[in-house]
Amino acid sequence: MSAPSIDVRLVKAGATKIRYPAELLTDDGTHLAVRAPWAAPGVRDFGFVRFEPGDVFTEHYWRDRWYSVKEVRSGDGTLKGWYCDITRPAVLTQDGTELSVEDLDLDLWVSADGGEILRLDEDEFEESGLAGRDPEAAEQAVLALDELERRARTGRFTELLRS
């Protein structure tokens, strides 16, 4: 018997940025985990990591936290690291077929060995105007990024993936 399928939808600035099917691994009512292959076309080279066809993402979402964490492995299973999106809390449709998250522009990269921890897209976050439109959401976004970075720097990052 195969795991249930779910569509993951990432929204940015009110529009769907990407939608892809994923395998639902767990859902305890607060924390959901799904697995999906790299969903974008071709290769995306960030300089510090490359996402490419064959990569597998185990993605963690929470209904009560302002981020998602994506564990990235190459096709042969080698851990590349964790890409974290700062988002509003995840929303699952009532019928359980679609998981939706709103991207708030901030991101964090944690390399597999924990030696590289990078705050990303802070300029995009400032340019988005979220602080003016929704100051509470902007504050939650910055707090979430700070929390993830603190966990990564103190060796407590992977604890998140078990909660």
Side-chain angles (χ1 to χ4, degrees):
M1 185 168 164
S2 64
S5 182
I6 188 170
D7 282 340
V8 176
R9 183 172 72 108
L10 183 62
V11 175
K12 189 168 182 175
T16 298
K17 181 177 171 182
I18 191 168
R19 171 184 268 133
Y20 52 91
E23 172 187 4
L24 179 64
L25 301 175
T26 63
D27 180 0
D28 68 8
T30 302
H31 171 215
L32 295 95
V34 303
R35 183 171 297 125
W38 169 239
V43 173
R44 180 120 188 245
D45 190 340
F46 291 95
F48 51 87
V49 67
R50 285 170 49 101
F51 296 160
E52 51 202 336
D55 286 351
V56 177
F57 287 65
T58 301
E59 304 176 359
H60 298 265
Y61 298 93
W62 291 267
R63 292 176 175 96
D64 63 351
R65 298 184 189 179
W66 288 71
Y67 52 77
S68 61
V69 176
K70 297 167 173 85
E71 180 183 278
V72 185
R73 292 185 179 270
S74 64
D76 68 5
T78 302
L79 178 63
K80 292 184 175 187
W82 296 271
Y83 195 92
C84 308
D85 284 319
I86 304 303
T87 66
R88 291 184 189 268
V91 176
L92 186 65
T93 56
Q94 193 164 2
D95 65 3
T97 61
E98 183 179 271
L99 180 67
S100 182
V101 291
E102 182 182 347
D103 186 343
L104 299 178
D105 292 307
L106 293 171
D107 302 293
L108 185 79
W109 169 254
V110 181
S111 63
D113 65 3
E116 191 170 40
I117 300 165
L118 304 172
R119 292 172 73 106
L120 305 168
D121 303 328
E122 290 177 299
D123 54 338
E124 287 181 31
F125 177 72
E126 289 300 319
E127 292 168 7
S128 76
L130 183 65
R133 285 190 326 276
D134 190 342
E136 183 179 333
E139 180 181 2
Q140 290 296 325
V142 171
L143 289 172
L145 182 63
D146 290 345
E147 175 190 345
L148 290 170
E149 181 181 18
R150 185 173 43 258
R151 284 178 169 276
R153 294 196 184 282
T154 60
R156 295 182 42 240
F157 184 79
T158 57
E159 292 174 6
L160 288 170
L161 310 181
R162 296 185 293 266
S163 62

